[in-house]
Amino acid sequence: MTPTPAWRRWLLDAAPAVVLCVLGVVEVLVGGLAGAARTQHLVGTVLLTLVLVLRRRYPVLVAVATSAVVVAVSLGGEPPDEVAGLVAVVVAAFAAGAYAAPAAGALAATAQSAAMVVAIALDPSDTLANVVPSIVLFIAVPVVVGAAYRRRWLHGLALSERARQAEETREEQASLAVAAERRRIARELHDLVSHTVSVIAVQAEAGHQLLDREPASARAAFVAIADASRSALVELARLLRLLGDDEPGSAARVDLAPQPDLAQLDALVGRFRAAGLAARLEIEGASRPIDKGIGLSAHQLIQESLTNSLKHSEGGEVVVRLRYHADSLDLDVRDSGTPRGGSGGTGRGLIGMWERVALCGGSLELDVSAGFRIRARLPLAPAA
């Protein structure tokens, strides 16, 4: 909400006070007073009305000032009875209730009530019987109405602040969601690049060795390199568009391919076998419906494990075993080979494994006592 300019606030405060002052002066001039009494009432009317300019900034001070003016004019022998002066007292009482703290507003109302008692007591045409009705009508009621206005105003401010905080929270949550999605895409990029580059490296090495002795086998290795490269380029383009395109509706322009799942494990293991890795797949138990996100995580766990074996192990066999239970799925990837010299990695893949399993609510164990082995247990459905 745009704040009101300072000059406009001053204009809103000053205009009613000036208009009331002019009306009060005219009322005194056309009245029946003369001489010193008229001068006294003119000065009192001007002071009573113009002090209202400060009613929002200093409500208690304005209430006390109007009370002092009423008492001073009354002590001069002719208590003020102009309508403009009475309106000024009512407005000051309302301002005390609306713009001052409750305790300060009560103090201002007390000062105005005392001035009202003095004015009535010094007015020969009035009686003390009018004290209570006058205080209730011209002071108590405006103070109560002002206090109600204050409560509603403060409630509106609280609602505005709550809305602002809610908007900030929504923006923060949106930023966190974007950051989480980009971390997920970064993990996918790692998996993709690590898997594809490993296949290309192994096939290139094999093709180089077979180029003179077995040209047909070397040609097959180079074809596999070309296929893997094209597939990686398509997937990299998709992921990079998702990662970097922030324009509205950009997601609709990205050609989305189906996410991999456990139904594609045979093809996955076959690709690694074609790349030279001795790998086989075993499935125990009846296949059960599994959440798509958990199926994707299981597929990527196995892909990362096979990629690690292809890059860092030699001379053994990799067995991928899936075991279905009533409410969970066990993954067991066992590599009986020996570490390849100079094949140390960054560890990012293993960190990604831990993160994926944790997000699924599962467990993960790593065993390097004999070769390399990964065991994971994933729920068939995410926890509620």
Side-chain angles (χ1 to χ4, degrees), residues 44-83:
T45 299
V46 171
L47 294 176
L48 278 173
T49 54
L50 291 185
V51 75
L52 296 179
V53 174
L54 304 174
R55 65 189 182 278
R56 296 177 190 266
R57 289 176 173 268
Y58 310 105
V60 176
L61 178 62
V62 168
V64 172
T66 56
S67 302
V69 171
V70 168
V71 171
V73 175
S74 298
L75 291 175
E78 190 71 34
D81 56 357
E82 289 80 18
V83 174

Side-chain angles (χ1 to χ4, degrees), residues 247-322:
E247 295 179 6
S250 60
R253 300 195 299 271
V254 178
D255 298 327
L256 297 178
Q259 292 281 19
D261 55 22
L262 296 181
Q264 302 175 28
L265 282 185
D266 281 329
L268 176 67
V269 175
R271 288 198 300 271
F272 277 92
R273 278 199 297 264
L277 181 67
R280 59 189 171 90
L281 174 65
E282 298 178 358
I283 300 178
E284 300 179 4
S287 177
R288 297 176 180 273
I290 187 170
D291 177 78
K292 290 183 178 180
I294 294 178
L296 171 62
S297 295
H299 181 281
Q300 291 173 328
L301 283 174
I302 295 172
Q303 177 177 286
E304 179 66 27
S305 301
L306 294 174
T307 300
N308 287 338
S309 296
L310 184 66
K311 292 170 57 179
H312 308 307
S313 177
E314 60 183 359
E317 182 186 35
V318 181
V319 179
V320 179
R321 181 177 290 111
L322 269 68

Side-chain angles (χ1 to χ4, degrees), residues 107-189:
L107 178 64
T110 300
Q112 286 188 301
S113 299
M116 182 73 71
V117 172
V118 172
I120 293 176
L122 295 178
D123 190 352
S125 62
D126 209 342
T127 63
L128 293 178
N130 292 329
V131 169
V132 174
S134 299
I135 291 176
V136 171
L137 183 61
F138 300 119
I139 298 175
V141 171
V143 168
V144 171
V145 173
Y149 170 82
R150 174 185 176 83
R151 285 194 298 270
R152 183 166 181 172
W153 176 62
L154 292 176
H155 180 66
L157 287 180
L159 291 179
S160 298
E161 177 64 17
R162 196 175 307 166
R164 185 189 64 80
Q165 292 177 354
E167 181 64 24
E168 290 181 354
T169 301
R170 281 195 296 270
E171 292 177 357
E172 181 179 356
Q173 290 175 344
S175 298
L176 291 175
V178 169
E181 179 64 11
R182 293 195 172 188
R183 285 195 298 271
R184 182 191 67 80
I185 294 174
R187 286 196 299 266
E188 290 192 17
L189 282 171

